[in-house]
Amino acid sequence: MLDPAVPKPALPDLYRAYLDCLNRQAWDELGRYVDATVEHNGRPLGFDGYRAMLVQDFEDIPDLRFTIALLVSTPPFVAARLAFACTPKGRFLGLDAGGRHLRFAENVFYEFRVGRIVRVWSVIDKAAIEAQLGACASS
Amino acid sequence: MLDPAVPKPALPDLYRAYLDCLNRQAWDELGRYVDATVEHNGRPLGFDGYRAMLVQDFEDIPDLRFTIALLVSTPPFVAARLAFACTPKGRFLGLDAGGRHLRFAENVFYEFRVGRIVRVWSVIDKAAIEAQLGACASS
C-alpha cells in the first residue's frame, strides 16, 4: 500500500478485509488495518484504545456483525453505511436495550493513510433504535 | 447529465450546487437536483414531500445552513459528512432544544440517477445533541 499508484479498488477491498477481521474478532490482525494514531469521533484513542473499544463492543453485543449496505470511496476516504441486526446484552447508547433484537444503521467515514485507518467519523442511528424500543422522547 | 461518460468531478459539483440551492432556500430550483420519485430513509416522499420536509426544516431552524465537512463520491453515490451549527426554535429530534445553539453532524448517502437524487440515507448525530443538552439517558 506504499505505492501511490495503487489501483482504485484497493481501498474498498482493504475496508472489506478490515470488517472481516472485526467479524472474526481476529484482534491479532487488527494492526494491518488500524494506525497507531487512530482517532474516533475526535477522540485520540490510539491503536490500543481503538482495539479495546471494539473488543468491548463484542462483549456488550455478542452477536455483533458488521455488514456493508453501501460503500463509497474516494481515496484516502471510505464511506460506509453499515447495517446491524443484533442483540445488546445490556444498555446500549444509554438506552434500555438489553435482550432486544435491534436493526439499525451506522453511517461512517474513514480516512486511510498508507493503507491504515487514521480517522473515523461515525454516526449510529440512535433515533431508529429508540423507535424500536419505544424509548426516550420522539415528539 | 444524460451522458454516461460524464467526467468524475460532476457528481461532487452537482451535490455542492444542490446544497447551495438549499442554503439559498431556492425552492424553485430544487427540481434540478431532486427526482420526482425521491425516497428519504426508506420513505417514498416524492419531490413534493421532500421539498416540504426541507421547507419545514428551515421553518424549524431559521439559521440552518448545510456545510460539507467531508465529501466522498463513487458514481452514482455521494456520501457527505455535514457540519451544522444552528439554533432550533423548538423541539428537535424529540429533544427540548428550543433556542439552544447546537453543533452536530449528519452522515448522509445519496444515490443519483440521471443527475438527480433518488435515494437518501441520513443519520443525524442525536447522541451529540443530547450531550450538549444534557438530555435523555447517556449512561
Side-chain angles (χ1 to χ4, degrees), chain B residues 98-117:
Chain B
R100 291 287 301 272
H101 190 71
L102 302 174
R103 290 178 180 275
F104 60 93
E106 174 185 0
N107 286 2
V108 55
F109 290 78
Y110 304 82
E111 181 179 354
F112 284 75
R113 189 186 302 151
V114 198
R116 288 188 171 81
I117 295 165

Side-chain angles (χ1 to χ4, degrees), chain A residues 13-22 24 26 29-35 47 50 112 115-118:
Chain A
D13 287 350
L14 190 65
Y15 179 67
R16 288 188 188 94
Y18 161 70
L19 289 194
D20 182 62
C21 171
L22 300 192
R24 290 182 292 113
E29 299 173 20
L30 190 65
R32 297 181 193 171
Y33 308 104
V34 177
D35 193 82
F47 178 79
Y50 193 81
F112 285 75
R116 289 189 171 81
I117 295 165
V118 287

